């Protein structure tokens, strides 16, 4: 079978698994929401639809594994070396973790929260270039595959822990209470909802402007300081292509070409001086557009349902035992932590020694991986303390996964470093 055939099978398997996950999510929703639709036996209804939903998600996972295997065969290496491949692998491992936890606990409603995470991560992966690219020399190591696959596997269990913890909060927070503590809890639940919608907003604007073919080109000249090998100060010209209208143009740049968008024929703002480089300016522009799109989508949803999103979802969870959700969250994180420790820290340091000649540097991705590890270490330590469970532990699990997502997404968008080769935006 030719390389082109393998890549086409991989592409089709990725798309089929994505659509099957979406169908499975709808089936999970029917299994939960449909219990109140005048069913004579709501328990039987949930059991029947739950089995169907899980079967569809399992078929989708098999398609995802087919994507992974065929791309591996086409690339001649494990496909985890750029942002498209890594996020695709992460979404696959989220589904593996969900499948394992579902088999153990048989909680149908878990699919209603775990499936959207996998779907969003897959959609985010599709934002990046899908071409098979040759590895740069520093990535040509078996330690890359061990490091990345184990780190992603650990993070996938953190994602399931986040889903269960967020379900616990939606189940236990009093959305009708008037106490100050109730208002604070409701605000943070809604903020978490808003954060998720911002990620969706990012995906929407990227695909929308990509479909429209929008482009704007900026260039700038940067001063290159003198060195021992090159004692003269020189300048370097650099350019960047924007695929979204430039609300924020690169610092100290000029416009080479720009398509008009809603009457906007020039950038609205330029990035501040501390955000240097044309690529950094594009990343800042992406963040601004993501927040704007997320805010618009969130506002439209609020207008449509006429209530906070958390209050809308909360009644669906009344039949669940909060203690079960609390245990699922803890068990998932407890499984993921040692795997994450090996992948993101131990084997990562071994690879760093081979690739860069040092076990540890202060690269932003390394720092945030350490922050994530310390955070979950504190979570597990506190969890073993008497009385530290329930709502307190759930909030820590939710915030911990937001830290993980910033490490995966935010660091690439905001901060430049040795790991910036992982993808472009």
């Amino acid at each position: 079978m030719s390389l082109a055939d393998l890549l086409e099978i991989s592409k089709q398997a990725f798309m089929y698994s994505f659509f099957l996950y979406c169908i499975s999510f709808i089936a999970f929703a029917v299994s939960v929401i449909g219990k109140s639709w005048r069913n004579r036996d709501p328990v039987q209804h949930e059991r029947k639809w739950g089995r169907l939903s899980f079967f569809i998600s399992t078929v989708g996972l098999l398609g995802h594994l087919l994507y992974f295997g065929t791309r591996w065969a086409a690339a001649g290496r494990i496909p985890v070396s750029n942002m498209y491949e890594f996020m695709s692998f992460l979404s696959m491992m989220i589904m593996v973790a969900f499948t394992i936890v579902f088999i153990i606990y048989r909680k149908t409603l878990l699919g209603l929260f775990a499936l959207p995470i996998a779907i969003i991560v897959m959609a985010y992966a599709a934002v990046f270039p899908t071409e098979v690219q040759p590895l740069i020399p520093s990535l040509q190591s078996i330690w890359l595959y061990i490091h990345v696959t184990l780190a992603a596997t650990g993070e996938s269990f953190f994602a399931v822990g986040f889903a269960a913890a967020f379900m616990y909060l939606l189940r236990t927070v009093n959305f009708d209470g008037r106490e100050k503590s109730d208002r604070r809890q409701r605000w943070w639940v809604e903020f978490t909802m808003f954060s998720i919608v911002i990620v969706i907003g990012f995906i929407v604007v990227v695909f929308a402007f990509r479909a429209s073919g929008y482009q704007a080109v900026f260039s700038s000249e940067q001063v290159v300081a003198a060195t021992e090998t090159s004692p003269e100060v020189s300048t370097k010209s650099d350019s960047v292509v924007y695929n979204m209208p430039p609300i924020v143009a690169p610092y100290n740049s000029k416009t080479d070409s720009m398509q008009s968008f809603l009457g906007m024929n020039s950038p609205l703002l330029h990035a501040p001086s501390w955000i240097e480089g044309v690529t950094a300016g594009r990343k800042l522009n992406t963040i601004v557009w993501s927040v704007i799109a997320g805010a618009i989508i969130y506002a439209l949803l609020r207008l449509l349902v006429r209530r906070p999103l958390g209050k809308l979802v909360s009644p669906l969870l009344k039949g669940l035992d909060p203690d079960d959700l609390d245990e699922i969250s803890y068990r998932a994180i407890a499984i993921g932590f040692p795997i994450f420790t090996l992948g993101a820290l131990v084997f990562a340091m071994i690879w760093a020694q081979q690739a860069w000649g040092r076990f540890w540097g202060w690269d932003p991705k390394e720092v945030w991986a350490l922050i994530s590890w310390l955070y979950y270490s504190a979570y597990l330590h506190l969890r073993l303390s008497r009385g530290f469970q329930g709502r307190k532990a759930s909030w820590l699990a939710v915030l911990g996964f937001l830290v993980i997502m910033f490490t995966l997404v935010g660091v690439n968008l905001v901060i430049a470093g040795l790991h910036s080769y992982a993808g472009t935006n």
Side-chain angles (χ1 to χ4, degrees):
M1 189 174 291
S2 67
L3 174 64
D5 291 335
L6 287 171
L7 289 176
E8 183 62 24
I9 293 173
S10 175
K11 178 182 176 182
Q12 294 299 324
F14 182 89
M15 293 302 300
Y16 283 133
S17 62
F18 177 82
F19 286 119
L20 284 171
Y21 291 157
C22 292
I23 294 171
S24 176
F25 167 69
I26 295 171
F28 272 117
V30 171
S31 72
V32 175
I33 300 173
K35 289 191 299 181
S36 60
W37 291 348
R38 297 180 180 179
N39 286 305
R40 295 179 180 178
D41 190 348
V43 175
Q44 183 63 26
H45 170 88
E46 181 177 2
R47 185 180 296 119
K48 180 179 70 174
W49 278 92
R51 289 173 180 171
L52 176 62
S53 307
F54 182 68
F55 173 77
I56 297 172
S57 71
T58 303
V59 175
L61 178 58
L62 292 175
H64 213 151
L65 290 169
L66 177 62
Y67 147 80
F68 186 72
T70 50
R71 190 171 179 92
W72 188 346
R77 54 173 174 77
I78 298 178
V80 291
S81 62
N82 55 47
M83 280 299 284
Y84 169 72
E85 294 175 347
F86 176 79
M87 285 298 177
S88 300
F89 178 76
L90 177 60
S91 61
M92 183 179 73
M93 293 312 299
I94 289 173
M95 290 304 301
V96 170
F98 160 72
T99 301
I100 294 172
V101 174
F102 184 88
I103 290 173
I104 295 172
Y105 290 97
R106 297 291 178 176
K107 296 296 181 182
T108 302
L109 196 60
L110 187 62
L112 198 60
F113 287 80
L115 264 295
I117 298 175
I119 291 169
I120 290 172
V121 172
M122 284 188 76
Y124 180 71
V127 165
F128 296 95
T130 62
E131 295 81 8
V132 174
Q133 301 166 344
L135 292 179
I136 62 176
S138 63
L139 293 180
Q140 296 174 4
S141 170
I142 186 62
W143 293 109
L144 163 69
Y145 309 130
I146 299 174
H147 154 57
V148 175
T149 54
L150 288 180
T153 302
E155 289 160 353
S156 67
F157 280 95
F158 293 161
V160 175
F162 159 80
F166 195 45
M167 289 166 63
Y168 178 94
L169 293 171
L170 289 168
R171 172 67 178 82
T172 59
V173 168
N174 184 3
F175 285 92
D176 296 317
R178 297 184 179 181
E179 297 293 331
K180 185 177 180 180
S181 60
D182 293 328
R183 293 197 299 270
R184 190 184 303 116
Q185 295 285 329
R186 290 197 299 269
W187 190 91
W188 282 110
V189 166
E190 205 62 21
F191 178 78
T192 305
M193 287 283 195
F194 179 68
S195 301
I196 296 171
V197 173
I198 284 179
V199 178
I200 297 172
F202 166 78
I203 296 168
V204 169
V205 294
V206 168
F207 279 111
F209 285 116
R210 180 183 293 178
S212 70
Y214 183 90
Q215 278 194 348
V217 182
F218 298 91
S219 62
S220 68
E221 290 189 352
Q222 299 177 343
V223 177
V224 180
T227 62
E228 293 183 1
T229 56
S230 180
E232 295 184 358
V233 177
S234 59
T235 60
K236 179 182 70 172
S237 181
D238 203 359
S239 63
V240 66
V241 178
Y242 276 40
N243 297 116
M244 300 181 188
I247 296 176
V248 182
Y251 170 71
N252 195 26
S253 64
K254 65 177 182 178
T255 305
D256 293 338
S257 64
M258 177 177 168
Q259 296 179 15
S260 177
F261 175 75
L262 298 179
M264 187 173 71
N265 298 308
S266 61
L268 299 182
L269 302 168
H270 279 77
S273 58
W274 53 271
I275 301 182
E276 297 182 359
V278 290
T279 303
R282 181 177 63 181
K283 291 179 178 179
L284 178 60
N285 188 66
T286 300
I287 294 171
V288 172
W289 268 109
S290 300
V291 173
I292 292 174
I296 292 173
I297 294 172
Y298 177 80
L300 291 174
L301 289 173
R302 286 291 301 270
L303 286 174
L304 181 64
V305 301
R306 298 185 178 181
R307 70 185 73 178
L309 301 185
K311 188 175 182 179
L312 175 70
V313 177
S314 179
L316 303 176
L317 311 179
K318 287 184 178 180
L320 289 180
D321 184 352
D323 292 337
D324 286 347
L325 296 173
D326 187 46
E327 182 187 356
I328 291 172
S329 177
Y330 167 63
R331 297 297 180 188
I333 292 173
I335 293 171
F337 181 76
I339 302 173
F340 181 80
T341 301
L342 289 173
L345 291 181
V346 177
F347 295 135
M349 289 189 290
I350 296 173
W351 177 37
Q353 169 63 23
Q354 289 194 352
W356 298 313
R358 83 303 188 271
F359 286 103
W360 177 261
W362 292 100
D363 181 71
K365 203 64 168 280
E366 295 176 62
V367 172
W368 276 94
L370 177 61
I371 291 172
S372 301
W373 182 83
L374 291 173
Y375 185 95
Y376 279 103
S377 298
Y379 167 87
L380 291 173
H381 175 76
L382 291 170
R383 182 75 195 210
L384 295 175
S385 303
R386 179 176 295 181
F388 197 89
Q389 54 188 7
R391 189 174 293 181
K392 293 179 182 178
S394 295
W395 274 121
L396 282 184
V398 168
L399 183 58
F401 189 66
L402 294 180
V403 172
I404 288 291
M405 292 310 297
F406 179 78
T407 303
L408 293 177
V409 179
V411 171
N412 277 316
L413 285 174
V414 179
I415 309 172
L418 291 172
H419 290 77
S420 295
Y421 57 71
T424 58
N425 285 286

